[in-house]
Every structure is written in C-alpha cells, then in structure tokens.
Amino acid sequence: MTPARRSLRVHMYHHTHWDREWWSTRERFRFRLVHTVDAILDALDAGPDLSCFVLDGQTLVMRDYLQVRPGRQAALVNHVRSGRLFVGPWHILPDEFLVSGEATVRNLWLGERTARQYGVPLSRVGYLPDQFGHIAQMPQILSGFGITSAVVWRGFGGPPVGGPAGGAEVGLDTYLYPRARDPRFPAEMHSEFWWEAPDGTRVLGVFLPLEYYRGHYKVRPGDPAFTSDQTVGRARRTSAYLGSYAATDALLEPMGGDHLPVDPRLPGLLRDINGALAGDGVEYRLSSLDAFVEDVRTQQERVQVVWQGEGRAFGRKAHLLPGVLSARLHLKQRNARVQTALERYAEPLQALHWLLGEPYEATYLWTAWERLIENHPHDSICGCSIDQVHREMITRFDEAQQMADLLAEDAHASIAARVDAQFAQGGEVITVFNPLNWARTDEARVLLNSFLEVTPEGWTLLDHLGQPCPFQVVTVRSDVEKAEPFAWLGSEAQRPHDANEFTEVRFIARDVPGLGYRSYALRRRETPLAHGRVRPYAVLGNVALDKGDGAPSDLAAGPGTLDNAWLRVPVDPRDGSLELLDKSTGFTYSGLNAFDDGGDNGDTYNYAWPLGDQLFHTSGVTPRLSWVEVGPARATLRVTWPLSLPEGLTGDRQSRSPRHVPLLLHSDVTLLAGVKRVDIRTHFDNAARDHRLRAHFPLGRTVTCSSAETQYGVVDRPVTLPGDQRGSSEPAVHEHPQMTFASVSDGERGLTVLNRGLPEFSATPGGTLVLTVLRAVGWLSREDLLTRAGGAGPTTATPEAQMPGPVCAEYSLFPHAGTWTQADAWQAAHDFNAPLHAAAQTSQIVPLRNRHRERTGTLPPAGQFVNLSGRVLLTALKRAEDRPELIVRFVNPTPEPQAVTVGTLRPLTAAQRVNLREEPAQALAVTGDGVHLTARPWEIVTLALTVEVTP
C-alpha cells in the first residue's frame, strides 16, 4: 500500500543577518544597515503583501538604526507592534562559549530593556543561527526568560532519521547528506528536536539543515527556463530536502543572509511557486520564526530526537571554527577582566551599599554592561574580524572597565566608611571584601598614597583582633590617578614622588567571610625595625644565625624552590619545568609548565599545521632563574628560557622559515603564604609569526576524559577524537573551550589548571592538560588549510592577529586527590579569578565624590552581608530590575543535589524564587536564619529577597 503523501507547510522567514562588525567596521556596516532598514520599512509601508520580516533576533539593530534615523522611529515601532517586523529576543547575537553565563543573561535583559524603551514586543524564539557552537546550559537560560524554543545550525545535525548517511561534506552539492561521527551526539536528526540542558530543562530545538543563509531567488526575465529552475525548481528541491528532516508537517526555510536587503518580489514569487507546486502537496507561506514554532507545537508529540548538552558536533556540514577560541587572546583576557569587574565587584558592592541606604547606580551599571556586550558578537569576541574592528573593541573594554572599577570603588568606600575604626587606635583602616560565597584565605592588595612612605620596617599591619599580618610593598604606577601629599593623610612629603606612583601593600587576609569583609589596621611603628639579621620570610637550607628563623608566615624560599604549608615547588634546573609536591596527599607531579611551539598556517577561524611543521620545546633549553619578589606574603621565582623560533612561514606556507628570531620566554611562578595554589604569569615579547605556543601539565596517569567549566556548569569530553574523519569538511579537534578551569583525574589523583581569560585547552590520553598561551596568524580567512574545506570569510590580511609585541598569560595549578568535584576545584578556580577587594577608609586620592565620606562606625570590624551556604557558586548579587529587592543568583556546579541556606545581615522579611527575567515563581518560607532550599544538579537558582534597607 502506498503511503499517503504528506501535505507540507513551508514557513519562509524573510530576514537579514546583521554582523555589526566583521570584514568591515561598525560604521561602514551601519551605513549599509541604515539603507537596508529604510528599504524594509518602505516595503512594509507599501502594502500588506510583505506580511513580515525578521530583523535578525537582535534589538541593537534598532538602536543603531534609530540613532541616525530618529525620524523613522514611529514607523519602525508600529510595524513591530503590528506583528510585521520581528526583533529580539537578544540585544546582540553573542558567541556562547567566550562570554560568561551572566553576560548571556544580561544580553537577554538588554533586549528586554530595549523593547521596553520603545514599547515593542520581542520575538519569543531563541534565535541562534550562526554561533560557533552552543553551550550546554542554553536551554535553561532561554527557559529562564520564558523562551521555550531555539533555532540553531552549527554544532547540530546529522543524517535525517531513517535516511541515508550520504557522502562526504566536502562536495559542492548543497543537498548532500552529512555523515555523523561523534558518538556523544545523536547519530540521526530531525529538524525538530528536544534540546536538554544538564539540569533536565528542555526547549524545542529547531535545526536548520540548509543553514540560515539562503540567497534571494534568481530571476532572468529573458530566460524562463532558468527562472523556473531557480524559483519553482529550487523550491521543489528545498522542500524535499527539508521534508526529509522534518518530524512534523511544518518546514522552516530562511530567505536572506549576511547583510542582504529586503526582496520586495518575494510575495509575488511565492504565489507563482505555490501555483506550480499545488499538486505536490507543498504550500509556501511568508511567515515568522514564532509562527513556525506555534505550528510545530500543535504536533510536538511527533518530536522524538533528544539532544543533551552542548551543541559541538564536528563534521556535520556546518563549520564550528574552533580556532576562534585562541585567536587574539588579549581580547578574551580583557573580556574576562571586565566581566569579573562587573559580576564580582561593581554589582555586588553596589547592591550591598544599597542595603545600607545608599543609591544603587542601576543606569550606570547597565551602561557598562551594554558597552561590554557590544563586544560579544561572534565576529567580535572571537577575534575573526579585521584589525580595525578589534582596535575599536579595546576602547569599549576600557570604558566598561573604568565604569565597573569606579562603581566598585565608590560602593566599597561607602561600606568602609561605616566600619568602626576604634580597633585601629588611630591607624589607617583597610577593609577586605570577599566577592565569593565561601570563606577564603588569599592575597589582598591595596593601593596607598606613596607620600605615606609605607614600608614593613616603618609600619605594622594588624587584623581587627590585634594579630600581626606580615606584609610587603611594591611601587606601582597608575594609568588613571595621581597621588599628592594631601593634608587629610597626615603625612609629610619626606621625598618627592611621581604623581602616578603608588605603594601597593600586599598581605594574606585570612578567613574572610563569604560575601563579607574583614578589617585591618595599618599603623606607624614607634621604632622602625632593622632587618639586618632576620629575614621577613623563611629560607630553606643552611643559613647563618637568625636568618630565616622566626619567620612570620609559612612561606619559605630556597635555591630554585618555593614552599608553604600546602605545597613544595622546585624548579628543574635542566629544563625549567616545575615539580609539585602536594603535602596533603603526598602526590608529586613532574614536568609541569613545559612549553612547545609549533607552526600555524591557519587563520583566525581554524588552527592548521603546515606540512613541514617543526616543534620547538623548552625541554632542550637550559633556563635562567631569578627572584622577582620574596616576602612573608608572596614569593615569585622567574624562570627564563632563551628560545630561537622561526620568524614565520616559508613562501609556500607549508613549512616554518629557516630564518629565526629570538624569543625570551618568562614564567613568574608565585606561591602565597597559606594558599594551596601555584600562580604562574607567563610573558614575553612576540617577534615571531604564524605559530602556536602551549604550556603542558602532566597528571602522570592515564585518563579517558577531561572536565572543564562551561557557563553555569562543567562538561566532560573524551580525550580521543571520533573516528572516520577523513573527508570531513572540518575534522574534530583536540582543543576545547573552558571558562575558569580544566581538570583531569584517574579517580585517585587529579590536577586542575585554572586560568584567567585563556579559553582553549586540550587533554591527552596520557593525562596531560595543554593550555594555549598564544596563537599567531596573519589572515582573517584562507581557503588553503588542511583543517577546513573552503573559506569562513574573506581572504583579508590581519597582521595584528599575529600578536606582535608584549604577550601575557595568567594561570594557576591546583593539585588534589580524586576528581574536580570531590576536591571542589571550582572554588579554587574562582578564588584565582576573583581576588579579594581591598579599600582604605581614608581616601588616598581626591575623593570620587569630591568630598570625604562621613565615618559612622555602624558596622563591626568584620561581618557578612549575605550568607549563601552550601556547595553552590554565586553568579549574581544585584538589586532587582523593577522593585526594591535583592537578587541572589547561584548555580549548583555539581552532579549532586545541594542543600542551600541564604541569610542576610539586615532583617529578611520575604523571599521567593524567580526566573531569570525576575518574574515570581515560588514563595519561600523565611526562618530565623534565612531561607532553606535544595538546588538540583546543575540548576541555576535565582532568589528575590525583601530585606530591610537601613543606613
């Protein structure tokens, strides 16, 4: 019996995909945007035929347009309100792996704020058409905004369910079926599927088998055969191909692409196509993403494919372009710093001083967030644009950083002014704030006016209980402030100082409460100390009488060795690698922080190895050791390798040049008193081109997978590549994305490498973690790579992507027993990424508000503003957007349920769970010590707390 023919409805959404900046600058693209939107509005105004148009899922397009076309605001707004023009839900279409989870949430919030500003509705479809892969928690993020669907392309896909596997993707035939390879992901696909986050949250996924870019129909008035083939014939081929993937009777076909204009002919062409396809059971309709999702929802019982976790499947026709993780790494590092400044300091400190009766700088904070998020489109943060684009990004990073720092400093000053200073007995009060939700012992740094002449010999530092805290000082220079012998400091100008010269006091602050603070007093000594006989730190080995005895901390230094209560770190004098003894487990790790450097004839999108590659290693180079700093709080040993590297590639780009240039590679290895972590700062001046530099960290055991932090979670990935990759248009690679850490373990011992803004790592079956420190390439895109078929953009030279000049990378080693979760390695990672924040009670510069704050003494010398207990990670502490409530957001970053308690310093009168859009979901009981709840594995929890706000 012949099966009944399906009647298919093709929802064609007409759109333009707007890369704000890419192979040209933002302003050059905006000039095109203005005229493109002018034409869209003209076509919509002309009549009802063009029933709808999708403006690429991002509200910033509206902002950019109306900034120079304010006279057309009414027309644009009216078409959005009438349902003919669709915008949002995003503010910009972000890269997902290279920005934080909170930045992704704020991106959606900016879409909400823009919609409210113009009084327009947002599309309720999670439009993600061109991102270079998708994070595991995106379904939970979208659901938190009431968005229950996602349209995706890269990183998903496979042969259609029940269909042939097809040929290799390298072919030029658009309709070839891709092959599936990676066993982690579904082997067969429907265009409709359930996308499931690690916590179990599901959204309706919509896969675009023919991607988002579909050029306009081609019409030749004098060639009816050609016109028929390119309209009716194309529609017949497309609907048949999309139909092979469809689980329902609804098909989704894009019409539009990168910077393409509106096509006013489209309604008429679709009428002609429908007339020709009437007998095929296919009907085309000009539609929207929202209408398509509504249609599928009526048949969702047919949706059977479930995709769990991240969308990062290679070899499925859509390039994932993994080299963007390491292109222009300085952009990733700047982004990490600014995100941390906003998430860990500016917002929490503003929220806490709001609880003390001060204003909350909501608009100022959003201004900083918007400036930062303007750098988050995938062509921007990924580093795959022309050099001018990325130069302009630096200015936006600078502006966002300055705003975040100022808002944090001002709020911290407000809190510090309230601390009871009686314990200081006339000394300078320093408060240390802990932005994380667990108690920590870590380094604190505070900048003091150089005219105070603070030295360990002339001053003493005591905690609020009167216990001495050894400290050390270093002279630093500020790029943005100046120091003068201000009268209120009570100092006399003993000697001249440069105006931008400050004294940085460094000390170990012990047991600082989570989301709380601890105070210290810095006082002049009546009699300065003389350190001629006694070192202020311990010295390993045989030394003269008193030298190294009675040292005030557990930190010790010796020839080529660092030591504290937790760790011993000797440097191998033969090759400069580190040996690491974990005193708590007895495990020893060897060969750490060794480097290799190989050629790279790829581009900003993909690493590629030249056929005649040569690897250079520090293992064959005798290092030079020198002490940078030694004291009771921290000691830093510099390891220097004099390397000689090829200056670039040969003319045919298949080998490394025989001409060499010097590269002096430094790793500053730091150990802190009482802290179980080895901090490393690797830096050098890069004079070579077309190469990749990586640091290696062997576990010393074999492993089957690596674990790395992702946005709001941790992802396990196999250390071996999927088989049968030859013929793929883009084979899978060993390199993976990470947030603040990557970890390997054999179950008994583990090693976690922490990082600041270094998102690319790999892991070997032998248990070695490999961290990319530099990738230098000179082209936006090329078509002659061995690791990708075809180009990913224009063949444009990008000499600044070679990363010439100073390069710096910061990372840290955390050894432990068992796995990352058993050792709470994620806490060490966030300790490293969110240093303690210190402030002096007396302004060291001209006060930010141009006046001194009144010292009220209403806060004790140590305290906790918010108690968030349990094995969870705070991700946001801020005031609610629409009401005077405190928002506390955290994630359970473990695979087990966690019991959580939340309390506040000020009386807590009400509490409720809310979604990410801050809409009420569930009222919670408030007891004497706060709110009690359980967080599911990997669950993102947002609470809105009503707290008494008092001065």
Side-chain angles (χ1 to χ4, degrees), residues 547-612:
K547 299 245 178 117
D549 291 349
S553 78
D554 66 323
L555 186 60
T561 303
L562 299 159
D563 190 282
N564 69 8
W566 293 100
L567 305 169
R568 177 173 289 237
V569 190
V571 178
D572 190 326
R574 298 167 299 178
D575 61 9
S577 65
L578 307 180
E579 185 177 281
L580 177 56
L581 169 64
D582 182 348
K583 297 180 182 180
S584 63
T585 64
F587 294 143
T588 298
Y589 305 77
S590 300
L592 304 171
N593 205 46
F595 294 85
D596 71 27
D597 185 275
D600 190 340
N601 72 346
D603 53 27
T604 58
Y605 292 102
N606 291 76
Y607 159 78
W609 40 274
L611 281 174

Side-chain angles (χ1 to χ4, degrees), residues 437 866-872 888 890 898-904 927-934 943:
N437 56 292
V866 176
N867 172 31
L868 173 58
S869 64
R871 291 180 66 215
V872 295
V888 179
F890 56 89
Q898 300 295 338
V900 181
T901 300
V902 184
T904 54
T927 63
D929 60 347
V931 176
H932 300 268
L933 66 150
T934 299
L943 304 180

Side-chain angles (χ1 to χ4, degrees), residues 353-358 418 856 858-859 906 948-951:
H353 95 145
W354 167 68
L355 291 180
L356 300 175
E358 294 275 3
R418 290 168 164 79
T856 63
T858 55
L859 288 176
R906 297 292 188 239
E948 290 187 11
V949 177
T950 56

Side-chain angles (χ1 to χ4, degrees), residues 140 711-712 784 837:
Q140 193 175 176
Q711 289 70 5
Y712 296 120
D784 56 358
H837 194 273

